[in-house]
């Protein structure tokens, strides 16, 4: 039941920005992640935890079930912080992104002190320190985490973690943007620009007129170059 709920309610690309496959044309969380969960215990428990939590908030489903699954997942994720090989496992990224949504549904909006969120941020950032083979699931998980960071940044007025720097995202909408870029590519580019804008506003680095002008130029270029499908 919980696995099916994740597939039909939490992973699809709908109007809800907090669902996992938003802006993912390959629907990694609704397909690849679910398939991998059959042989990956932490991934399965992360899925069960977030599904149980969502159901407990929207129905009379047992509110204690989600905590049980979360604990099982964290028992494996926490030791992974000290295991460099585990940090390269794309399923770990997916489980981390899923648990971060669990935290959003559990803790006050914008609370970055929760155990799961802090753990997830450490895993995502530490894993970038070691070169690893390209993985579409890893990239999809980082994109989900980036959207989560943007959501939190709006409420906490803090800079977005630099996850976009580890994704194959071009902020440019002119010379490096291909006319054949899909709507997905343009949407992901907009997400990265949103992260840049929030970091400029709330980051610790000094602000300058030149920095703002450079950011505004990228935003204007996106607006000018966006495909007709983005017109209201």
């Amino acid at each position: 039941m919980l696995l099916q709920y994740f597939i039909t309610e939490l992973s699809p690309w709908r109007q809800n920005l907090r669902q996992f496959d938003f802006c993912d044309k390959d629907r990694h969380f609704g397909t690849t992640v679910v398939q991998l969960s059959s042989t990956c215990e932490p991934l399965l428990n992360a899925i069960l935890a977030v599904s149980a939590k969502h159901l407990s908030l929207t129905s009379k489903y047992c509110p204690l079930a989600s905590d049980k699954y979360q604990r099982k997942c964290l028992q494996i994720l926490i030791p992974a912080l000290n295991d460099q090989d585990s940090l390269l496992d794309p399923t770990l990224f997916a489980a981390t992104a899923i648990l971060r949504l669990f935290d959003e549904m559990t803790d006050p909006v914008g609370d970055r002190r929760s155990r799961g969120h802090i753990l997830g941020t450490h895993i995502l950032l530490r894993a970038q320190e070691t070169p690893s083979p390209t993985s579409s699931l890893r990239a999809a998980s980082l994109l989900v985490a980036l959207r989560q960071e943007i959501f939190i940044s709006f409420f906490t007025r803090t800079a977005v973690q630099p996850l976009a720097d580890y994704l194959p995202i071009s902020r440019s909408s002119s010379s490096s943007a291909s006319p054949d870029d899909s709507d997905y590519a343009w949407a992901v580019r907009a997400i990265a620009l949103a992260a840049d804008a929030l970091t400029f506003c709330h980051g610790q680095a000094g602000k300058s007129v030149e920095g703002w002008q450079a950011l505004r130029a990228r935003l204007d270029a996106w607006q000018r170059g966006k495909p007709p499908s983005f017109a209201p």
Side-chain angles (χ1 to χ4, degrees):
M1 172 187 173
L2 294 177
L3 191 61
Q4 182 64 33
Y5 188 81
F6 180 85
I7 297 171
T8 59
E9 299 298 328
L10 296 182
S11 64
W13 178 17
R14 297 180 180 173
Q15 297 301 316
N16 187 345
L17 288 173
R18 296 170 76 179
Q19 289 174 310
F20 293 105
D21 283 331
F22 190 85
C23 294
D24 182 357
K25 63 182 178 64
D26 295 317
R27 298 188 61 245
H28 284 86
F29 281 81
T31 55
T32 305
V33 166
V34 173
Q35 293 169 7
L36 290 173
S37 70
S38 64
T39 57
C40 179
E41 184 179 355
L43 189 55
L44 176 61
N45 281 311
I47 290 173
L48 298 180
V50 76
S51 295
K53 172 58 70 174
H54 195 269
L55 276 171
S56 71
L57 296 174
T58 57
S59 68
K60 295 182 179 180
Y61 195 82
C62 175
L64 301 179
S66 60
D67 293 333
K68 176 185 69 174
Y69 294 123
Q70 186 212 29
R71 285 195 300 271
K72 288 183 177 181
C73 185
L74 289 176
Q75 286 173 359
I76 298 176
L77 286 184
I78 291 174
L81 275 173
N82 298 315
D83 183 352
Q84 205 63 40
D85 290 335
S86 294
L87 289 176
L88 302 180
D89 185 352
T91 60
L92 188 68
F93 279 70
T96 297
I98 293 170
L99 281 191
R100 283 159 65 97
L101 178 59
F102 178 96
D103 282 338
E104 288 182 20
M105 293 189 289
T106 303
D107 298 311
V109 172
D111 188 353
R112 276 184 163 159
R113 296 167 297 176
S114 68
R115 189 182 189 189
H117 184 89
I118 293 173
L119 173 68
T121 300
H122 281 314
I123 289 177
L124 292 169
L125 293 178
R126 279 200 59 193
Q128 309 310 323
E129 299 172 1
T130 302
S132 63
T134 301
S135 165
S136 61
L137 176 56
R138 180 176 172 141
S141 300
L142 280 173
L143 180 59
V144 171
L146 177 60
R147 292 194 288 107
Q148 292 167 337
E149 284 289 322
I150 290 172
F151 175 80
I152 292 172
S153 177
F154 271 110
F155 290 95
T156 61
R157 297 187 178 183
T158 55
V160 176
Q161 294 290 341
L163 300 178
D165 295 342
Y166 304 110
L167 283 165
I169 300 175
S170 169
R171 269 73 155 189
S172 172
S173 301
S174 53
S175 59
S176 63
S178 167
D180 298 326
D181 277 353
S182 67
D183 285 356
Y184 295 98
W186 282 91
V188 170
R189 193 173 290 128
I191 291 171
L193 289 171
D196 291 343
L198 286 166
T199 297
F200 181 85
C201 292
H202 305 308
Q204 298 299 315
K207 298 174 178 60
S208 66
V209 173
E210 293 78 11
W212 165 247
Q213 289 175 339
L215 175 60
R216 183 57 188 265
R218 295 198 298 273
L219 295 172
D220 289 343
W222 185 96
Q223 186 69 22
R224 290 192 305 270
K226 68 182 187 296
S229 53
F230 278 76

